[in-house]
Amino acid sequence: MKTFYENAEIYRGGHFAKGRLVVEEGRVVADCEPQPGDRRVDLSGLYLVPGLVDVHVHLREPGFPQKETIATGTAAAAHGGYTTVCSMPNLNPAPDTPEHLEEQLALIRRDALVRVVPYGTITLGQRGCGELADFEALAPYVAGFSDDGRGVQSAELMEEAMRRAAAVHKPIVAHCEVDELLRGGYIHDGVYCREHGHRGISSESEWRQVERDIALAERTGCQYHVCHVSTKESVELVRQAKARGLKVSCETGPHYLLLCDEDLQEDGRFKMNPPLRSREDRQALIEGIQDGTIEAIATDHAPHTAEEKSRGLERSAMGIVGLETAFPLLYTYLVKRGVLTLERLVELMSVQPRRLFSLEGGIATGDKADFTVLDLHAHYAIDPATFRSKGHATPFAGWEVDGRAVMTVVDGRAVYDTLTTNSIR
Ligand code: DOR
């Protein structure tokens, strides 16, 4: 039996056009005519795009199920329209050996609602120093190698990591942060910080390491991806590296595109690392997504318990949730305001991250059928009480938005569906 998804505006080859998608046994098949017994789903008035991909999420298992689990994190992903997420390795145990990684893979096989592709660590114990993990043993199972949450401090160690990652054809995915420049900071070292007596994180703590790593990527030939770029200097460094033809890419998050330090409130839901930067930085990031320097928007979905986020700017844990708000926020505040086209947003949230990390799924004939159906007319206010994630801390609570995922399909199976049923699974 085939399923015909009909009458949607479908994103194909960079454009939307009215059409239908035919799925059989979990795969997209060539267009054909429905026969008696086939299933037909009417998507009139809706948009169908290759499933959204978030290359930077924290699912917290194994180790921290009080913050999030594979089950709740992937339910949040499905709710937000994501069909694939890449999970960060700041876990316990960290995925630094095949045995430790297997603990996470077993939970993924058991509980994941969407595709989850983990990162392996760069260093043993994800310490940002010491010894490197066994990249060769981990490579078949991971999207790349990252110590996200920590920068790799030693240039020698990073160079060796890049050589070994290049040998197994996987990217290094770097959280860039120079520890000795942090000096106890926890929000951006800008006007708000000074006026309210906080300790600041300088932009230099990020871009110095981006600069170092780009030079190492050039020397080693490694594919190098910078996590959650937040400063104008980092954007410029990546722009120049790309102009020199290096295999360098980067992502930024919705919060860095829509907020700056002028929006800070004395509330833990405004605290994440890197921090919300200046208005100028935000403008540079927008130019980066417009001119192709920034190839992916990733949420850095980083759930914590309500208590961990309740201690104000200075003492709350770093991190906000993002999977269930990214598309509506970016659609409302970038696409509807003319900053980006919808087609470019689909490239940034789906096409390019999938290509960068060689991830499967999509809507081309032969692909595993992973797609998202969007209702661009839904209008509502963001309400954390509706989240599937255990984490509720978001600076966007109460924001009015348009657009939401109404159906998320992975391997031809609806994992979130408000059209034909109200249930998940
Ligand atoms: O805000 C953040 N939260 N930044 C990170 O780098 C780590 C993450 C987390 O794991 O909570």
Side-chain angles (χ1 to χ4, degrees):
M1 187 189 74
K2 298 185 177 73
T3 303
F4 287 73
Y5 295 91
E6 299 176 317
N7 306 316
E9 290 290 332
I10 304 186
Y11 174 96
R12 281 196 178 110
H15 303 284
F16 282 96
K18 183 86 100 211
R20 67 183 170 198
L21 186 78
V22 190
V23 175
E24 187 174 28
E25 290 177 2
R27 295 221 178 237
V28 176
V29 296
D31 190 35
C32 55
E33 289 306 316
Q35 302 298 317
D38 284 340
R39 192 168 156 251
R40 300 172 79 157
V41 180
D42 180 22
L43 301 180
S44 296
L46 301 171
Y47 286 68
L48 189 155
V49 301
L52 305 184
V53 174
D54 191 339
V55 296
H56 193 137
V57 305
H58 296 269
L59 297 181
R60 306 300 194 202
E61 261 191 324
F64 308 96
Q66 69 280 15
K67 296 176 192 271
E68 190 79 293
T69 62
I70 301 282
T72 58
T74 58
H79 188 212
Y82 288 94
T83 57
T84 299
V85 296
C86 298
S87 60
M88 283 298 174
N90 50 349
L91 300 169
N92 188 16
D96 56 358
T97 64
E99 295 70 33
H100 287 162
L101 176 63
E102 178 52 28
E103 286 194 36
Q104 191 191 165
L105 292 173
L107 292 167
I108 291 168
R109 283 194 296 272
R110 195 187 72 186
D111 292 340
L113 213 47
V114 305
R115 261 180 238 293
V116 179
V117 186
Y119 290 104
T121 62
I122 296 175
T123 60
L124 284 180
Q126 189 248 338
R127 291 170 54 229
C129 59
E131 267 179 72
L132 294 177
D134 183 348
F135 290 3
E136 205 162 34
L138 294 169
Y141 312 101
V142 299
F145 298 98
S146 179
D147 269 1
D148 185 59
R150 290 209 179 97
V152 173
Q153 299 305 308
S154 144
E156 291 69 33
L157 192 65
M158 189 53 131
E159 182 168 350
E160 184 57 22
M162 286 195 188
R163 287 195 196 288
R164 293 201 201 166
V168 295
H169 309 290
K170 291 285 175 182
I172 288 285
V173 178
H175 171 116
C176 288
E177 190 166 28
V178 179
D179 286 350
E180 66 182 28
L181 294 175
L182 292 180
R183 300 186 193 105
Y186 46 86
I187 61 170
H188 176 59
D189 189 11
V191 176
Y192 184 94
C193 179
R194 284 190 289 279
E195 284 179 356
H196 293 79
H198 290 295
R199 283 189 300 283
I201 304 178
S202 66
S203 295
E204 193 182 352
S205 66
E206 175 180 295
W207 65 258
R208 275 274 174 226
Q209 212 162 77
V210 176
E211 185 179 50
R212 177 200 76 182
D213 284 358
I214 287 173
L216 296 176
E218 183 156 26
R219 198 177 314 160
T220 58
C222 179
Q223 182 187 344
Y224 174 69
H225 179 83
V226 194
C227 294
H228 42 51
V229 159
S230 69
T231 69
K232 59 181 189 297
E233 292 88 351
S234 302
V235 177
E236 189 50 32
L237 285 162
V238 172
R239 183 177 286 124
Q240 288 169 13
K242 282 178 171 298
R244 295 209 304 279
L246 303 184
K247 284 186 282 179
V248 169
S249 61
C250 69
E251 72 197 30
T252 193
H255 39 291
Y256 305 115
L257 294 165
L258 303 180
L259 298 169
C260 65
D261 68 342
E262 296 166 35
D263 300 305
L264 280 168
Q265 294 178 23
E266 295 296 315
D267 187 330
R269 66 195 172 88
F270 287 82
K271 183 178 181 184
M272 75 295 289
N273 189 26
L276 298 175
R277 301 287 187 184
S278 70
R279 181 184 286 259
E280 259 191 308
D281 290 305
R282 182 182 62 181
Q283 185 53 34
L285 292 166
I286 287 175
E287 286 162 20
I289 57 171
Q290 286 173 327
D291 75 4
T293 301
I294 300 172
E295 288 174 75
I297 301 179
T299 66
D300 195 2
H301 178 82
H304 293 284
T305 64
E307 192 282 320
E308 288 164 329
K309 293 300 290 177
S310 69
R311 306 180 204 137
L313 281 179
E314 183 176 355
R315 296 183 49 247
S316 289
M318 298 272 201
I320 59 168
V321 293
L323 284 167
E324 293 168 270
T325 55
F327 179 80
L329 284 166
L330 295 166
Y331 174 67
T332 308
Y333 293 97
L334 296 183
V335 175
K336 289 196 81 177
R337 293 193 174 175
V339 176
L340 281 183
T341 61
L342 180 59
E343 289 83 349
R344 279 288 295 140
L345 185 60
V346 173
E347 284 163 20
L348 286 156
M349 297 184 77
S350 171
V351 178
Q352 291 174 169
R354 186 175 273 109
R355 190 187 302 141
L356 270 177
F357 289 87
S358 308
L359 301 167
E360 57 187 356
I363 58 171
T365 300
D367 281 349
K368 290 186 173 175
D370 287 8
F371 60 90
T372 307
V373 180
L374 301 163
D375 175 0
L376 299 182
H377 301 292
H379 180 85
Y380 58 103
I382 288 176
D383 176 5
T386 64
F387 292 170
R388 268 62 166 172
S389 172
K390 287 192 183 185
H392 287 181
T394 169
F396 298 110
W399 281 41
E400 301 262 326
V401 289
D402 292 310
R404 62 157 41 116
V406 288
M407 185 186 255
T408 306
V409 175
V410 178
D411 271 335
R413 194 173 71 96
V415 292
Y416 175 70
D417 182 1
T418 63
L419 298 176
T420 59
T421 153
N422 275 322
S423 65
I424 291 189
R425 266 195 208 269

